[in-house]
């Protein structure tokens, strides 16, 4: 009889604890922690990715700009030398003309390499790609925040509803979690500056 009553008490305690929400609240709290980890991961992605993308775009744009400016400068030097038959009789003027032509040829060669490697100049595409990456990163952050808030809502509800609230007050003493709230300055869109 004693064994039977001990078995019944154990069985009753197991049924009570299985419906008291103890495990549910623990699982919900872990879900909150995991969701916050996703928010942090999205923030870290932004911190890692955006500066590198901006520098890459700036580098490509600078290279293209320098290459084109080199061609323009070389062409203006060639254009500033008056071509006439007399240049053939003046070795200094002829050398100056030859140097200007050589600089233009060199600049055009660099430009041809750029055009061959990049059939279209890439700066515009890189800026477009940067904008897509910025948009995608901000969307990931927003999705992570929304999922975090959903996990917080689920957890907070689970520790407040009956009979979970009794189990929480007696055994766990879990505190409500705070949902993500935007800062006041978040009302302004961040600015990207290429200077």
């Amino acid at each position: 009889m004693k064994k039977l009553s001990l078995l019944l008490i154990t069985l009753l305690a197991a049924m009570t604890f299985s419906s008291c929400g103890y495990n549910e609240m623990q699982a919900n709290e872990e879900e909150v922690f995991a969701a916050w980890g996703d928010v942090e991961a999205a923030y870290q992605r932004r911190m890692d990715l955006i500066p590198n993308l901006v520098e890459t775009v700036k580098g490509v744009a600078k290279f293209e700009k320098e290459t084109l400016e080199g061609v323009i400068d070389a062409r203006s030097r060639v254009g500033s030398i008056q071509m006439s038959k007399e240049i053939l009789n003046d070795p200094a003027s002829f050398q100056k003309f030859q140097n200007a032509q050589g600089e233009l040829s060199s600049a055009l060669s660099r430009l041809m390499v750029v055009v061959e490697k990049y059939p279209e100049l890439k700066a515009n595409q890189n800026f477009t790609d940067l904008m897509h990456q910025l948009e995608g990163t901000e969307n990931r952050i927003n999705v992570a925040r929304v999922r975090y808030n959903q996990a917080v809502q689920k957890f907070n509800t689970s520790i407040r509803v009956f009979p979970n609230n009794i189990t929480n007050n007696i055994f766990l003493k879990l505190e409500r979690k705070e949902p993500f709230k935007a800062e006041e300055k978040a009302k302004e869109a961040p600015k990207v500056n290429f200077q």
Side-chain angles (χ1 to χ4, degrees):
M1 183 74 170
K2 192 173 189 178
K3 287 184 180 184
L4 183 59
S5 63
L6 184 59
L7 180 63
L8 285 174
I9 291 172
T10 305
L11 188 57
L12 181 61
M15 288 185 341
T16 301
F17 279 113
S18 69
S19 65
C20 70
Y22 184 90
N23 290 333
E24 175 190 357
M25 289 182 282
Q26 297 287 335
N28 290 344
E29 186 176 39
E30 290 302 319
E31 190 175 327
V32 169
F33 296 147
W36 183 249
D38 291 344
V39 171
E40 290 179 331
Y43 283 147
Q44 187 64 50
R45 179 182 190 272
R46 177 171 60 186
M47 290 298 293
D48 294 344
L49 180 65
I50 301 307
N52 292 330
L53 286 172
V54 169
E55 288 304 313
T56 299
V57 170
K58 283 169 56 177
V60 170
K62 180 181 176 195
F63 176 73
E64 290 177 3
K65 179 182 175 190
E66 288 173 356
T67 302
L68 292 173
E69 284 176 350
V71 170
I72 292 167
D73 290 344
R75 187 191 175 295
S76 70
R77 280 192 293 277
V78 167
S80 69
I81 299 173
Q82 295 296 323
M83 291 194 38
S84 65
K85 292 181 185 175
E86 288 78 35
I87 200 169
L88 298 175
N89 297 327
D90 182 1
S93 294
F94 185 75
Q95 188 60 43
K96 187 177 176 184
F97 177 77
Q98 286 295 97
N99 289 344
Q101 289 293 339
E103 288 176 20
L104 180 58
S105 293
S106 177
L108 288 172
S109 294
R110 286 193 306 275
L111 179 62
M112 292 307 295
V113 168
V114 170
V115 171
E116 286 172 8
K117 282 188 168 184
Y118 308 101
E120 59 185 72
L121 295 178
K122 298 294 183 186
N124 285 342
Q125 182 61 43
N126 286 333
F127 282 108
T128 302
D129 291 346
L130 172 62
M131 294 308 296
H132 287 283
Q133 289 294 332
L134 286 170
E135 179 184 5
T137 297
E138 294 307 314
N139 285 339
R140 286 179 186 203
I141 290 170
N142 187 54
V143 167
R145 288 173 180 162
V146 167
R147 288 180 181 161
Y148 169 75
N149 283 349
Q150 289 170 342
V152 166
Q153 179 187 9
K154 181 178 176 182
F155 170 77
N156 288 344
T157 302
S158 75
I159 65 170
R160 296 182 69 206
V161 297
F162 181 82
N164 294 9
N165 62 344
I166 295 170
T167 304
N168 186 45
N169 290 336
I170 294 172
F171 297 109
L172 297 172
K173 301 191 184 328
L174 299 172
E175 298 289 324
R176 289 183 76 244
K177 306 295 184 208
E178 283 298 313
F180 177 83
K181 295 174 188 157
E183 299 173 17
E184 270 305 305
K185 64 183 179 181
K187 292 178 181 175
E188 296 178 28
K191 292 173 180 55
V192 177
N193 185 355
F194 292 102
Q195 299 302 329

